[in-house]
């Protein structure tokens, strides 16, 4: 059983920073290789990939240079450091995991957290 629980969302002014965390349990049940990532979904929009991490990291062009995805050594926590936030970053952010190498399609991911809201005001 794989469980993902996000935390760290909130409200911030444009230009500010937030750090999201995802507590992962049961990651050994995902298999190898495996991918973990962050997705976001704004009202009325499709869920989109933000950053993914298997043996390397990859970022959406919309966040490259501002966001950093990381895993701790025990692989039990996935983080997303978000700097220079913009109002267009406002969305529900989800932690996700899948067996196999990373992809950008949310449909490929098997495991999801409940989401954490990020709101950036101008």
């Amino acid at each position: 059983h794989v469980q993902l629980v996000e935390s760290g969302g909130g409200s911030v002014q444009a230009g500010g920073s937030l750090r999201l965390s995802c507590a992962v349990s049961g990651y050994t049940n995902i298999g190898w290789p495996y991918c973990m990532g962050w997705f976001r979904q704004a009202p009325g929009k499709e869920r989109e990939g933000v950053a993914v991490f298997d043996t390397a990291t990859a970022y959406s062009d919309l966040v490259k240079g501002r966001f950093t995805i990381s895993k701790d050594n025990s692989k039990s926590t996935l983080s997303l450091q978000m700097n220079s936030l913009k109002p267009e970053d406002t969305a529900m952010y989800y932690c996700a995991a899948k067996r196999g190498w990373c992809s950008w399609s949310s449909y490929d991911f098997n495991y999801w957290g409940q989401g954490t809201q990020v709101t950036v005001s101008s």
Side-chain angles (χ1 to χ4, degrees), residues 39-49 62 86-94 106-107:
F39 287 74
R40 68 186 183 188
Q41 187 167 20
K45 294 189 176 182
E46 289 196 359
R47 193 168 295 188
E48 62 179 5
L62 296 174
K86 305 175 181 181
E88 51 264 43
D89 293 319
T90 295
M92 185 72 78
Y93 282 71
Y94 297 90
S106 62
Y107 296 102

Side-chain angles (χ1 to χ4, degrees), residues 3-51:
Q3 187 174 17
L4 309 175
V5 180
E6 303 96 335
S7 61
S11 297
V12 65
Q13 288 192 327
S17 299
L18 284 173
R19 186 177 181 87
L20 305 183
S21 293
C22 175
V24 183
S25 59
Y27 72 88
T28 55
N29 295 324
I30 301 175
W32 177 262
Y34 72 93
C35 170
M36 298 200 67
W38 289 95
F39 287 74
R40 68 186 183 188
Q41 187 167 20
K45 294 189 176 182
E46 289 196 359
R47 193 168 295 188
E48 62 179 5
V50 173

